[in-house]
Amino acid sequence: MLRDVTFRRANMATAMELRCWGGDWGLPSVHNESLVVLAYAKFSGAKVNISPIDWTWKTLTATVPELICGDTSVTEPSQILNFLRKQRFNADYELSARQGADTMAYIALLQEKLQPALLHTFWLDADNYANLTRPWFASRSPFPLNFFVPSRHASNALSRILLTKGESPQRRISEVEGKLYSDAKECLNLLSYRLGSANYFFGNLPTSLDAFVFGFVAPLHKAHLPNSPLQSHIRQLENLTHFCDNILSVYFNSAHPCLPPSVQETMDANLQKLTQLVNKESNLIEKMDDNLRSSPQHKPHRPETKPSLIMEKSSTPA
């Protein structure tokens, strides 16, 4: 009986596919929520086949992360983690009731206080968007989606921020920007205090809270952001940066080795060239659109039709 259960679990594991954005900056994925699921899968021992959506048409249509298991499709990190627990891949099985309640509270804190500031940092900050986020996602999207995917994600990010903060869609993001970052810094400070000198938040093994914190904090720690007060703040919280580095080393090191400096420099140079190209093409498209809108609209010219030969004959007197 035990052998049958083990066999079923092995089959279930190999049948699971996780669609997500690919990795960079030393991370298995640059996408916060995809990174949460990837980390939890590692912590719980779930075997999932990773299917990056990079360079496919799913960059525009897919909702990631998405877990596919047979005929079942699950999105949203919390729902995916619940699905994995039902398959007996549970990283929280040793938590007490109090620790489980604390986990839910801290995850809610992350989603309410930290996530909006992360969305603003990567998608709405002008310098970061123009020099890092837009070129990265454009370079991972096939033509012609590379012109639409980044702007669509930026629009979705703005909507999520206003929805999370309970603000009207008509309100300008600059009016709530200061509150976003003060809330995020407060959240990071609380997480740093709760973690202390430990490797994980509860005991000697990582749990779902560690997966969420890692997924939200690691990209902020690792990305090459040209402008980010929030990144400067987290680098002062050394236990959180050590927390991210430790998880990468223990759970992702063999699968995602560090690139040699020469290769990384070449990739950075290519990304810089792509940034310049995307900016030029975007400016050209905007100018063309402005010209089309400002040009006078005339009715199409149609030449006057000549009377047919039959008409001419019928009009000739007998």
Side-chain angles (χ1 to χ4, degrees):
M1 183 68 178
L2 179 60
R3 182 178 302 176
D4 292 340
V5 171
T6 305
F7 180 76
R8 286 198 300 270
R9 287 183 62 187
N11 283 344
M12 179 66 72
T14 56
M16 291 190 292
E17 174 191 358
L18 180 65
R19 295 175 182 172
C20 61
W21 280 102
D24 202 352
W25 318 325
L27 299 172
S29 175
V30 303
H31 184 241
N32 295 111
E33 294 178 334
S34 297
L35 202 52
V36 170
V37 178
L38 286 168
Y40 185 85
K42 289 284 188 179
F43 300 163
S44 63
K47 304 297 182 183
V48 295
N49 298 319
I50 310 302
S51 297
I53 64 171
D54 306 32
W55 302 294
T56 71
W57 289 88
K58 292 185 177 69
T59 55
L60 185 67
T61 60
T63 300
V64 294
E66 181 183 16
L67 186 70
I68 309 295
C69 184
D71 296 330
T72 303
S73 172
V74 190
T75 58
E76 300 292 334
S78 296
Q79 298 300 321
I80 294 175
L81 268 57
N82 286 336
F83 179 84
L84 292 175
R85 292 188 189 101
K86 292 178 181 178
Q87 313 308 315
R88 300 185 181 181
F89 296 109
N90 189 359
D92 297 342
Y93 68 96
E94 290 188 351
L95 295 183
S96 65
R98 173 63 183 274
Q99 290 173 331
D102 287 347
T103 295
M104 294 176 63
Y106 275 107
I107 290 175
L109 182 71
L110 283 164
Q111 294 172 332
E112 181 182 351
K113 301 292 186 181
L114 183 58
Q115 190 172 31
L118 293 175
L119 292 172
H120 186 279
T121 296
F122 283 91
W123 290 104
L124 300 179
D125 181 278
D127 288 342
N128 296 335
Y129 179 71
N131 295 294
L132 178 69
T133 313
R134 184 174 68 177
W136 195 95
F137 282 86
S139 69
R140 295 323 196 265
S141 304
F143 178 85
L145 298 187
N146 53 321
F147 293 107
F148 307 110
V149 169
S151 59
R152 179 170 180 176
H153 281 289
S155 177
N156 291 340
L158 175 59
S159 298
R160 284 188 73 174
I161 290 173
L162 296 176
L163 180 63
T164 302
K165 291 300 182 181
E167 301 290 347
S168 168
Q170 285 76 31
R171 190 167 183 181
R172 298 178 62 182
I173 191 64
S174 58
E175 298 176 19
V176 297
E177 183 177 338
K179 179 65 173 172
L180 288 180
Y181 285 101
S182 62
D183 286 350
K185 290 178 180 179
E186 180 183 357
C187 178
L188 290 171
N189 291 340
L190 288 172
L191 291 171
S192 177
Y193 179 78
R194 177 64 183 81
L195 180 63
S197 59
N199 287 331
Y200 308 112
F201 282 89
F202 300 112
N204 297 321
L205 293 174
T207 64
S208 57
L209 177 57
D210 298 279
F212 270 91
V213 174
F214 174 75
F216 283 16
V217 173
L220 182 64
H221 170 43
K222 291 293 187 179
H224 307 297
L225 295 166
N227 176 48
S228 179
L230 200 58
Q231 187 176 67
S232 301
H233 182 76
I234 197 176
R235 287 176 176 171
Q236 300 173 15
L237 306 174
E238 294 183 0
N239 62 339
L240 283 181
T241 57
H242 172 74
F243 166 83
C244 295
D245 293 336
N246 179 60
I247 289 178
L248 286 171
S249 175
V250 173
Y251 290 95
F252 294 101
N253 186 45
S254 59
H256 299 273
C258 295
L259 293 173
S262 58
V263 176
Q264 185 64 53
E265 289 174 2
T266 302
M267 291 178 64
D268 290 342
N270 290 339
L271 182 59
Q272 185 176 4
K273 292 178 181 178
L274 180 63
T275 301
Q276 297 171 354
L277 178 61
V278 170
N279 288 338
K280 289 180 180 178
E281 292 177 343
S282 178
N283 292 334
L284 179 60
I285 291 174
E286 290 177 0
K287 289 180 180 179
M288 292 173 63
D289 186 57
D290 291 340
N291 291 336
L292 287 173
R293 292 186 179 184
S294 60
S295 61
Q297 302 296 319
H298 300 289
K299 293 183 178 180
H301 175 71
R302 292 189 177 91
E304 295 182 1
T305 56
K306 295 182 178 180
S308 65
L309 185 59
I310 298 176
M311 293 286 294
E312 289 178 358
K313 288 183 177 180
S314 63
S315 61
T316 302

